[in-house]
């Protein structure tokens, strides 16, 4: 779905490849008007594609999925070098299920290969595909779920310029519940979501970073009706939320229904605006949520 964050108008988005019934695709990332997609037309060999929907130019990039093992965690990310026309693709993966650490490989638009290989530190062994990137740094939340090694969640970062990892603690008051990473005015933010299946409360924190420390500042909070985890993104300092509701009735009619409520919340005025109601006569689930600003960056 391609929807305007201002008016809620929906328009088609036709990808520059074909899919068979066995095919699949996933959006790796969107930045500077370029959409990076990982796809397989027939369900076997996969490719990476950078595509500009405005210029209609695209570029196919080899997918290093030869490292992939079934059941192993992995992460792809797409981001630009600050103030340049060059981008990088990251692939973080576990070589096997017994591995205690991960390996990071990186493709760049100027080298055009995956020759950069960086061993990941121990704290980067838990991967989360819901990442964000700010000024050449990619961030994701790492959660350790081993019963013998219970730790609070934290943020892992990787700098594509210095090839360095870092670990950032979440705000003390935001350790419970689920977490969503956001970007607001070129600053990393985190939404700490607490609630149940019926209502939620989200607190937005912004990271203030200097040369020696990381500090969190509470920006605002908001609440509503719905499950504790609601996908969201920030557009022009406003929150775009997508509420997802499913209904299944297994009888002779085998009734299935999905309802999406997409709205825009302004923390300055406290106003809430419905952008779109979307209904499907089937079970449809939201996979990823990305911001797209049209541009003429080369692929």
């Amino acid at each position: 779905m391609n929807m305007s964050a201002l008016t809620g108008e929906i328009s088609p988005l036709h990808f520059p490849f074909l899919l068979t019934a066995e095919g699949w695709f996933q959006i790796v990332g969107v930045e500077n008007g370029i959409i990076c997609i990982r796809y397989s037309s027939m369900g076997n060999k996969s490719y990476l594609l950078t595509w500009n929907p405005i210029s209609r130019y695209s570029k196919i990039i080899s997918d290093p999925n030869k490292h992939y093992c079934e059941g192993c965690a992995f992460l792809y990310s797409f981001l630009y070098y600050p103030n340049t026309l060059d981008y990088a693709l990251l692939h973080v993966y576990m070589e096997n299920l017994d591995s205690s650490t991960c390996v990071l490989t990186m493709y760049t638009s100027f080298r055009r290969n995956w020759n950069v290989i960086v061993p990941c530190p121990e704290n980067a062994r838990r991967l989360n595909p819901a990442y964000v990137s700010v000024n050449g740094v990619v961030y994701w939340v790492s959660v350790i779920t081993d019963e013998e090694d219970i730790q609070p969640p934290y943020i892992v970062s990787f700098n594509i310029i210095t090839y360095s990892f870092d670990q950032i603690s979440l705000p003390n008051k935001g350790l419970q519940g689920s977490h969503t990473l956001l970007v607001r005015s070129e600053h990393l933010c985190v939404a700490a979501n607490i609630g149940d299946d019926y209502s939620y409360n989200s607190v937005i924190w912004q990271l203030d970073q200097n040369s020696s420390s990381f500090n969190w500042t509470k920006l605002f909070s908001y609440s509503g009706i719905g499950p504790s985890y609601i996908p969201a993104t920030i557009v022009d300092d406003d929150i775009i939320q997508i509420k997802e509701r499913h209904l299944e009735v297994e009888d002779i009619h085998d009734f299935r229904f999905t309802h999406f409520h997409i709205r825009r919340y302004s923390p300055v005025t406290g106003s809430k605006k419905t952008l779109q109601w979307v209904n499907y006569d089937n079970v449809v689930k939201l996979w990823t949520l990305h911001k797209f600003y049209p541009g003429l960056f080369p692929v």
Side-chain angles (χ1 to χ4, degrees), residues 1-12 235 240-241 260-264 273-278:
M1 176 184 293
N2 180 30
M3 189 199 71
S4 168
L6 182 62
T7 65
E9 180 182 359
I10 296 176
S11 59
V235 177
I240 305 294
Q241 289 182 313
F260 290 102
H261 178 202
I262 309 169
R263 70 176 185 176
R264 181 166 181 157
K273 174 185 177 182
T274 294
L275 294 176
Q276 192 64 251
W277 300 83
V278 183

Side-chain angles (χ1 to χ4, degrees), residues 3 5-6 180-184 189-193 200 202-205 219-223 230-243 261-275 289 291:
M3 189 199 71
L6 182 62
T180 304
L181 295 183
L182 305 166
V183 177
R184 176 181 179 270
C189 296
V190 61
N193 310 302
Y200 66 90
S202 295
V203 181
I204 308 298
W205 300 81
L219 296 180
F220 56 88
S221 63
Y222 60 94
S223 59
I230 294 179
T233 188
I234 295 180
V235 177
D236 299 331
D237 293 342
D238 289 351
I239 299 288
I240 305 294
Q241 289 182 313
I242 301 183
K243 293 185 178 181
H261 178 202
I262 309 169
R263 70 176 185 176
R264 181 166 181 157
Y265 168 71
S266 173
V268 176
T269 63
S271 61
K272 300 176 181 179
K273 174 185 177 182
T274 294
L275 294 176
L289 181 63
K291 288 184 293 185

Side-chain angles (χ1 to χ4, degrees), residues 36-136:
C36 181
I37 306 167
R38 183 170 179 249
Y39 76 98
S40 176
S41 293
M42 303 183 68
N44 297 316
K45 188 175 182 179
S46 58
Y47 301 90
L48 291 159
L49 179 85
T50 52
W51 172 49
N52 189 324
I54 303 301
S55 67
R56 299 186 180 181
Y57 281 102
S58 61
K59 176 182 176 59
I60 293 179
I61 300 169
S62 62
D63 184 0
N65 67 340
K66 60 184 179 181
H67 302 296
Y68 175 72
C69 74
E70 187 174 356
C72 290
F74 64 94
L75 164 71
Y76 286 86
S77 59
F78 170 74
L79 67 161
Y80 269 78
Y81 286 86
N83 305 314
T84 71
L85 297 178
D86 292 308
Y87 57 81
L89 271 160
L90 306 184
H91 179 217
V92 189
Y93 62 93
M94 297 178 68
E95 293 184 292
N96 55 69
L97 290 173
D98 297 328
S99 298
S100 60
T101 58
C102 296
V103 178
L104 181 147
T105 60
M106 184 167 72
Y107 173 97
T108 60
S109 56
F110 48 89
R111 289 195 182 97
R112 300 188 179 184
N113 58 50
W114 292 90
N115 290 348
V116 175
I117 301 176
V118 182
C120 299
E122 184 73 15
N123 62 6
R125 62 190 175 98
R126 298 298 179 187
L127 307 178
N128 187 333
Y131 73 94
V132 297
S133 61
V134 184
N135 295 324

Side-chain angles (χ1 to χ4, degrees), residues 149-293:
D149 190 17
I150 299 177
Q151 298 182 21
Y154 53 86
I155 297 173
V156 176
S157 69
F158 178 75
N159 190 310
I160 63 174
I161 300 175
T162 63
Y163 297 171
S164 59
F165 286 88
D166 212 334
Q167 179 177 328
I168 305 170
S169 299
L170 288 164
N172 292 331
K173 295 182 180 180
L175 290 176
Q176 297 181 348
S178 61
H179 306 88
T180 304
L181 295 183
L182 305 166
V183 177
R184 176 181 179 270
S185 301
E186 299 299 316
H187 286 85
L188 175 68
C189 296
V190 61
N193 310 302
I194 301 175
D196 49 32
D197 292 336
Y198 305 101
S199 63
Y200 66 90
N201 182 71
S202 295
V203 181
I204 308 298
W205 300 81
Q206 179 173 294
L207 181 67
D208 299 316
Q209 180 180 355
N210 55 39
S211 58
S212 60
S213 63
F214 299 99
N215 299 302
W216 291 99
T217 301
K218 181 179 177 180
L219 296 180
F220 56 88
S221 63
Y222 60 94
S223 59
I225 299 174
S228 59
Y229 174 72
I230 294 179
T233 188
I234 295 180
V235 177
D236 299 331
D237 293 342
D238 289 351
I239 299 288
I240 305 294
Q241 289 182 313
I242 301 183
K243 293 185 178 181
E244 182 177 336
R245 181 185 178 188
H246 304 279
L247 178 63
E248 293 187 68
V249 179
E250 296 184 1
D251 56 13
I252 58 175
H253 301 291
D254 198 20
F255 179 74
R256 293 181 175 87
F257 181 81
T258 299
H259 168 80
F260 290 102
H261 178 202
I262 309 169
R263 70 176 185 176
R264 181 166 181 157
Y265 168 71
S266 173
V268 176
T269 63
S271 61
K272 300 176 181 179
K273 174 185 177 182
T274 294
L275 294 176
Q276 192 64 251
W277 300 83
V278 183
N279 300 316
Y280 294 97
D281 294 329
N282 210 328
V283 176
V284 179
K285 295 185 177 181
L286 180 68
W287 186 252
T288 54
L289 181 63
H290 300 274
K291 288 184 293 185
F292 173 76
Y293 291 96

